[in-house]
Amino acid sequence: MKQLLGWLRVREQQLIVWANSRRGHKRLHRWLGKWLSVITHMGGATFTLTSSLLFALIAPSPWNATGWQCFITVVISHFPVFVVKRWFKRLRPYQALEGLTTSRKPLVDSSFPSGHTTAIFAWLIPIVLTSGVLLVITVPIAAVIGVSVGWSRMYLGLHYPSDVIVGAFIGTVTAFAVQYSWVTAM
């Protein structure tokens, strides 16, 4: 088991170095850097909570209920994130690995799990679940946004792949739990 965990740790470090690298294709990395530096903020509390409240207060039915579901899911999903971050004191990749690129004011709390990735999945899943016939449009858009926010956290040197995967899992599971509770309460 120790060998397997060691192998996984090495592969994860290799993946974060690759995801964070800025080698080759300067135009591609310039565009990618701009995209990921902007989209990463969609996973922040300000965007997810504010947009959820706006949806809840302004949107017509059933989208106003979806706004409340997004808001509640984002709030609830951050309880396990808060607990796990205090339980697992994991250094962020830029703190633990040499040569990674990060922003001017990088976060310094525990990296595990990714709160931004948790929030964006907690925000996206209720929208996807409400979309009905628009599912063919919302699923690809949600996938691009969710993967972009998760990837941005690695690209910016702030999270390991496992931080992002667990964050996406927490956000998704919480969203399904809120959706189930919402439907059974009706």
Side-chain angles (χ1 to χ4, degrees):
M1 187 64 155
K2 274 189 173 183
Q3 285 180 319
L4 177 61
L5 289 175
W7 183 84
L8 287 171
R9 188 172 294 118
V10 168
R11 296 300 170 259
E12 183 170 58
Q13 288 175 354
Q14 289 172 338
L15 183 56
I16 187 65
V17 169
W18 178 74
N20 184 260
S21 71
R22 310 291 199 271
R23 292 182 218 117
H25 310 293
K26 288 184 182 183
R27 257 192 252 147
L28 172 67
H29 283 291
R30 191 175 309 126
W31 177 85
L32 188 62
K34 286 179 183 177
W35 167 252
L36 295 175
S37 293
V38 169
I39 197 81
T40 198
H41 297 294
M42 279 189 80
T46 302
F47 176 82
T48 54
L49 293 173
T50 303
S51 62
S52 296
L53 278 176
L54 285 173
F55 238 59
L57 297 172
I58 297 173
S61 183
W63 293 103
N64 61 339
T66 302
W68 287 117
Q69 290 170 0
C70 291
F71 183 81
I72 292 166
T73 303
V74 171
V75 169
I76 291 172
S77 69
H78 275 69
F79 286 110
V81 169
F82 178 82
V83 170
V84 173
K85 277 187 180 283
R86 268 117 198 105
W87 193 23
F88 288 97
K89 299 282 186 188
R90 186 179 198 184
L91 290 175
R92 292 188 178 267
Y94 79 89
Q95 295 170 314
L97 303 171
E98 287 189 32
L100 292 186
T101 305
T102 192
S103 61
R104 280 181 247 170
K105 294 181 183 179
L107 301 170
V108 293
D109 63 330
S110 178
S111 76
F112 185 80
S114 169
H116 279 70
T117 308
T118 300
I120 198 64
F121 277 85
W123 184 83
L124 286 169
I125 298 299
I127 294 169
V128 169
L129 293 174
T130 303
S131 62
V133 296
L134 298 174
L135 207 59
V136 295
I137 297 169
T138 57
V139 168
I141 292 170
V144 167
I145 292 170
V147 169
S148 292
V149 169
W151 192 265
S152 75
R153 307 312 289 165
M154 294 184 295
Y155 184 83
L156 297 171
L158 299 172
H159 288 287
Y160 292 97
S162 58
D163 301 344
V164 170
I165 291 166
V166 170
F169 178 77
I170 291 170
T172 301
V173 167
T174 306
F176 276 102
V178 167
Q179 177 73 14
Y180 176 76
S181 299
W182 197 277
V183 170
T184 57
M186 294 285 173

